[in-house]
Amino acid sequence: MMNKPVRVTLTEERIKKIKDKYGYSSFAVFSPSFLSEYKSKITGFFPTPEQQEYLTTNMDNVTEFIIADRTSRGMSSFANSPETIQMDSEDVELSDDSFTINPGYEYVETLFVHQLLHAETQQKGNSRNLTGVAEFIRDEAGNVAKGPNNKKNLALNEGLTRYFAEKISGSIVPNEVDPYAYNKNIVYILSDVLGEEILKSSYFGNGTML
């Protein structure tokens, strides 16, 4: 992690909204500006014009990076959104103005990339872009439905996202702590058989089927 995360001072109103929305008893919020190095890696990994269309604006829609104890609300995972990325406090060491990644948790950088991939591919304007293996929605005559939301996800959204996050970050999330290990390992096999370019094409839901 090259860029130092900067902790944000919140108003009492904002603190209350976050507590009410997520149920946290304690948390810290950071500016997402430190994620710029990961944004550059992502855009460099998907170089074709078609793929670049999906990458231009949505990462910049991330406005908050929250670190909290997810077990305090009885949840096994976080409900991230295109605007907010959340991480578990056990992975990092918090200070008054920043945080550092704990030794042995270097794979957390892969989680940064994973959530940025979701942020940049799931929302574009007023429509939602599917990631993973997608299928066009058809009418009774077999014609492809019209409109921006004419696809549905079939499989491997999280597996493909984790695969690309590991490739981009260069850090592997150990299977024993990775909830997406099964799907991710399937994707590694598909990459060996079909090639990574097919995976990239299918990930962006542009009609290439696996």
Side-chain angles (χ1 to χ4, degrees), residues 23-35:
Y24 300 139
S25 57
S26 63
F27 57 89
V29 177
F30 295 83
S31 166
S33 59
F34 79 94
L35 297 170

Side-chain angles (χ1 to χ4, degrees), residues 85-159:
I85 292 177
Q86 303 174 55
M87 300 294 295
D88 199 320
S89 57
E90 74 174 16
D91 300 335
V92 301
E93 182 68 31
L94 288 169
S95 64
D96 290 340
D97 62 349
S98 189
F99 73 84
T100 55
I101 298 172
N102 286 330
Y105 287 83
E106 288 76 12
Y107 62 82
V108 166
E109 293 190 81
T110 299
L111 307 187
F112 297 163
V113 175
H114 184 110
Q115 296 306 332
L116 277 170
L117 283 169
H118 279 320
E120 73 191 11
T121 52
Q122 288 186 348
Q123 181 172 292
K124 185 176 178 63
N126 294 321
S127 64
R128 181 175 183 274
N129 291 318
L130 297 176
T131 54
V133 183
E135 178 183 64
F136 285 109
I137 297 172
R138 299 177 183 273
D139 60 23
E140 293 181 356
N143 300 312
V144 174
K146 299 184 183 298
N149 299 310
N150 64 347
K151 299 188 186 81
K152 61 181 178 181
N153 182 272
L154 292 181
L156 296 179
N157 176 22
E158 296 293 356

Side-chain angles (χ1 to χ4, degrees), residues 46-104:
F46 296 102
T48 70
E50 293 79 11
Q51 292 159 354
Q52 285 290 335
E53 180 183 353
Y54 289 85
L55 303 171
T56 52
T57 60
N58 289 321
M59 282 190 290
D60 293 332
N61 288 334
V62 177
T63 58
E64 284 185 324
F65 187 93
I66 299 176
I67 292 178
D69 180 4
R70 66 184 176 188
T71 60
S72 67
R73 64 174 189 164
M75 300 287 285
S76 60
S77 62
F78 287 121
N80 290 289
S81 71
E83 294 79 26
T84 302
I85 292 177
Q86 303 174 55
M87 300 294 295
D88 199 320
S89 57
E90 74 174 16
D91 300 335
V92 301
E93 182 68 31
L94 288 169
S95 64
D96 290 340
D97 62 349
S98 189
F99 73 84
T100 55
I101 298 172
N102 286 330

Side-chain angles (χ1 to χ4, degrees), residues 172-193:
I172 304 297
V173 180
N175 283 343
E176 59 268 23
V177 299
D178 190 352
Y180 306 129
Y182 179 78
N183 286 336
K184 175 188 72 178
N185 291 334
I186 290 175
V187 176
Y188 272 94
I189 294 172
L190 289 174
S191 179
D192 289 339
V193 175

